[in-house]
């Protein structure tokens, strides 16, 4: 196993968690594939103490006006790297409300291809909640929904209600504890595959999941609720990255899980 010491702003608990699976030794060229002009549309570090959460991507595919506006969140809670923000499960949320709704089509329309990954600490086990969404699922809506089920499994729904909407639920679960867990959700419409990976484990591949709708996404991105102010999530989030037109390889996902520095170039 590759051993490393804690970096500034990183807790012993998070280091122990990061070391819970073997480190995948990557060459500098391979690890650098995660940086720079790689389709990284949004990257949120959550190290702010007040105000908007800044999109820190430097890719040419960085989404414009995608800083997150917050409502009621708690800043400066312990994160995996630096600090994180926390949602109370009642009325706290964050949203990319200044972005253009159609900019989020890559999560839910024909030709969609993306990777969503981040560190999450669930603070209310046994409760169904929506931690990321573009929309709420009304008839005809074009949506992406990311849920945590009552038993800790991850549910993902993509597409247009009444047309090509599909919903899958992972077999593996987030452990019922007070630690952060690393989640990756990837989708490639051309291949018809949606992939869910929890804590660097074996990726779960759900095949024959294709989208045909070409309408615009219902809303911009929300965290900790959907656009109808439902299914509030109680938890912390840190180091959220969203790639457009890019599915991370298993090797790249493990590199992020074990790196101890996130997207360190930023």
């Amino acid at each position: 196993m590759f051993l490393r010491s804690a970096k500034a702003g990183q807790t012993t608990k998070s280091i122990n968690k990061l070391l819970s699976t073997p480190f995948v030794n990557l060459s500098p060229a391979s690890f650098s594939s995660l940086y720079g002009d790689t389709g990284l549309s949004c990257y949120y570090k959550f190290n702010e103490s007040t105000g908007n959460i800044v999109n820190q991507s430097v890719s040419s595919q960085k989404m414009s006006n995608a800083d997150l506006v917050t409502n009621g969140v708690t800043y400066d809670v312990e994160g995996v790297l630096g600090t994180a923000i926390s949602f109370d499960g009642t009325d706290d949320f964050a949203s990319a409300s200044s972005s253009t709704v159609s900019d989020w089509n890559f999560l839910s329309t024909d030709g969609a291809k993306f990777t969503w990954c981040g560190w999450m600490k669930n603070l209310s086990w046994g409760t169904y909640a929506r931690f990321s969404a573009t929309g709420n699922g009304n008839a005809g809506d074009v949506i992406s929904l990311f849920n945590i089920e009552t038993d800790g499994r991850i549910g993902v729904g993509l597409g247009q209600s009444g047309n090509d909407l599909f919903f899958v639920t992972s077999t593996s679960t987030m452990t019922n504890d007070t630690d952060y867990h690393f989640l990756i959700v990837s989708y490639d419409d051309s291949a018809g595959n949606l992939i869910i990976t929890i804590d660097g484990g074996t990726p779960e591949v759900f095949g024959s999941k294709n989208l045909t709708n070409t309408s615009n996404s219902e809303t911009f991105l929300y965290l900790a609720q959907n656009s109808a102010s439902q299914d509030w999530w109680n938890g912390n989030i840190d180091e959220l990255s969203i790639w457009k037109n890019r599915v991370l390889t298993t090797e790249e996902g493990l590199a992020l899980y074990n790196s101890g520095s996130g997207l360190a170039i930023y």
Side-chain angles (χ1 to χ4, degrees), residues 103-125:
D103 285 345
W104 298 97
N105 288 351
F106 71 96
L107 295 177
S108 55
T109 61
D110 183 27
K113 188 175 184 178
F114 68 84
T115 299
W116 186 111
C117 68
W119 289 91
M120 299 168 52
K121 177 189 284 191
N122 195 44
L123 298 175
S124 184
W125 294 97

Side-chain angles (χ1 to χ4, degrees), residues 178-252:
T178 58
D179 290 334
Y180 277 92
H181 296 277
F182 190 60
L183 174 66
I184 301 177
V185 177
S186 297
Y187 176 69
D188 184 352
D189 185 44
S190 63
N193 291 335
L194 187 140
I195 306 169
I196 300 174
T197 309
I198 301 174
D199 287 336
T202 301
E204 293 189 53
V205 181
F206 301 86
S208 301
K209 304 297 181 184
N210 296 103
L211 299 172
T212 59
N213 74 85
T214 57
S215 300
N216 285 335
S217 176
E218 183 200 354
T219 68
F220 40 75
L221 180 74
Y222 281 87
L223 299 180
Q225 63 143 322
N226 63 28
S227 62
S229 299
Q230 299 169 333
D231 304 323
W232 301 92
W233 178 55
N234 180 207
N236 302 352
I237 192 166
D238 197 14
E239 291 288 310
L240 172 61
S241 52
I242 303 173
W243 275 267
K244 179 180 180 180
N245 298 325
R246 172 101 184 263
V247 171
L248 296 188
T249 66
T250 299
E251 183 183 55
E252 289 169 335

Side-chain angles (χ1 to χ4, degrees), residues 4-265:
R4 54 186 175 264
S5 59
K7 298 178 181 291
Q10 186 173 47
T11 66
T12 300
K13 179 182 286 187
S14 66
I15 278 289
N16 290 339
K17 187 64 182 176
L18 287 167
L19 290 174
S20 63
T21 60
F23 182 84
V24 177
N25 278 305
L26 300 178
S27 67
S30 179
F31 195 79
S32 67
S33 69
L34 295 167
Y35 303 151
D37 197 16
T38 59
L40 184 60
S41 184
C42 301
Y43 176 42
Y44 305 108
K45 295 175 67 67
F46 299 105
N47 289 337
E48 292 84 356
S49 297
T50 187
N52 293 352
I53 306 300
V54 177
N55 178 9
Q56 300 195 34
S57 171
V58 297
S59 169
S60 64
Q61 294 194 51
K62 175 181 179 178
M63 188 180 296
S64 300
N65 302 314
D67 292 355
L68 299 177
V69 178
T70 63
N71 181 81
V73 306
T74 301
Y75 297 86
D76 293 326
V77 300
E78 179 187 75
V80 172
L81 296 169
T83 59
I85 63 172
S86 184
F87 305 96
D88 66 2
T90 301
D91 56 7
D92 292 357
F93 68 92
S95 67
S97 56
S98 295
S99 61
T100 301
V101 169
S102 60
D103 285 345
W104 298 97
N105 288 351
F106 71 96
L107 295 177
S108 55
T109 61
D110 183 27
K113 188 175 184 178
F114 68 84
T115 299
W116 186 111
C117 68
W119 289 91
M120 299 168 52
K121 177 189 284 191
N122 195 44
L123 298 175
S124 184
W125 294 97
T127 302
Y128 172 87
R130 189 154 289 160
F131 56 86
S132 178
T134 55
N136 59 51
N138 292 329
D141 290 346
V142 179
I143 58 175
S144 65
L145 306 175
F146 299 76
N147 309 325
I148 184 164
E149 307 293 322
T150 56
D151 57 2
R153 294 180 300 156
I154 300 300
V156 178
L158 304 176
Q160 184 175 29
S161 298
N163 179 10
D164 58 0
L165 179 68
F166 67 83
F167 193 88
V168 302
T169 306
S170 66
T171 301
S172 55
T173 65
M174 287 190 176
T175 305
N176 186 341
D177 56 26
T178 58
D179 290 334
Y180 277 92
H181 296 277
F182 190 60
L183 174 66
I184 301 177
V185 177
S186 297
Y187 176 69
D188 184 352
D189 185 44
S190 63
N193 291 335
L194 187 140
I195 306 169
I196 300 174
T197 309
I198 301 174
D199 287 336
T202 301
E204 293 189 53
V205 181
F206 301 86
S208 301
K209 304 297 181 184
N210 296 103
L211 299 172
T212 59
N213 74 85
T214 57
S215 300
N216 285 335
S217 176
E218 183 200 354
T219 68
F220 40 75
L221 180 74
Y222 281 87
L223 299 180
Q225 63 143 322
N226 63 28
S227 62
S229 299
Q230 299 169 333
D231 304 323
W232 301 92
W233 178 55
N234 180 207
N236 302 352
I237 192 166
D238 197 14
E239 291 288 310
L240 172 61
S241 52
I242 303 173
W243 275 267
K244 179 180 180 180
N245 298 325
R246 172 101 184 263
V247 171
L248 296 188
T249 66
T250 299
E251 183 183 55
E252 289 169 335
L254 281 170
L256 281 176
Y257 178 62
N258 287 291
S259 73
S261 57
L263 292 172
I265 197 171

